[in-house]
Amino acid sequence: MEGPAGWDERRGPWGAPRRRRGREAVKRLVGRALAARRRPNDPGRGVGVLAYHATESDRSDPWWVDFEGQMTLLEDLGYVVVPLLEAVRRVREGSPVQAPTLAITFDDGWSNNLRVAYPALARRGWSSTVFVTSSFLGRAPFFRPEELRSLADLGVEVGNHTHAHPDLTRLSPQAIAAELAECDRILSDLAGRRPRTFCYPFGLYSPAVRRAVEAYGFDAACTGRVGFNTPGSDVFLLRRVTIEPGEGPTELRWRLAGGYDFLDRKQAWMDAER
């Protein structure tokens, strides 16, 4: 996705997700081949963090995903779904993972999460975390302020996703702090408590951005890096398994097995000082 330019009341500031058919076809072929060699529920991979954006149930919508089918797959594979902060504790603790374990997160605060995702999670007794961009509140297709207030009753923890969703790697330390603080102020007022976790907009970070986020006082932060989190890894650079529009249980199985982990090689540049 590119940064906000216009605004679509059904699709937000980015419009419909871009699909490059040739590149997508190659990625699927490689992902399927690599996943075929591995188990999709191997505890040895560490702790997973699923990442969703919109969870539209209408198959004609470009943001559609088969959320219910994917949750059923997690049940069938025997996954233990824990709150994000519990996943963070297990990663930080550094003990070997005994059972396939993951947390479930959502980015931006799409209102269709309330219709589709959260009820499916509540039926299973699973909690989740949503990273809210505070300037999106009250603008379709994102949460209304009163909806944000109801999330705690649904077992949904609210995390900070900045105020305006900028690429933080392009901002000064002062501007980064302002983005975090403004989002913190708005979400704390609406949700009744300060967010404890953070997600880098677009999944992008740099060592300087990572240090600023930790210094601000969060407990952990999620990136766009691909894969699971091994015991003892950096909880301010949590990797995630990001679900893309149009995907269902088959694609999730490939992702859980590490079929798309090869994509992480292109993201290692974010760790370089600059």
Side-chain angles (χ1 to χ4, degrees), residues 50 52-56 67-68 71 104-132 137 141-144 147-159:
L50 281 190
Y52 290 90
H53 290 82
T55 51
E56 183 55 58
F67 189 81
E68 179 65 34
M71 296 304 100
I104 298 174
T105 66
F106 301 85
D107 287 4
D108 305 329
W110 292 78
S111 60
N112 54 32
N113 298 157
L114 285 160
R115 290 188 286 103
V116 179
Y118 302 153
L121 296 176
R123 287 195 298 271
R124 295 169 169 86
W126 294 347
S127 62
S128 62
T129 295
V130 58
F131 296 107
V132 176
L137 290 169
F142 300 104
F143 296 151
R144 300 190 303 273
E147 291 175 328
L148 187 72
R149 295 187 183 98
S150 71
L151 294 183
D153 295 335
L154 298 173
V156 182
E157 184 79 16
V158 175

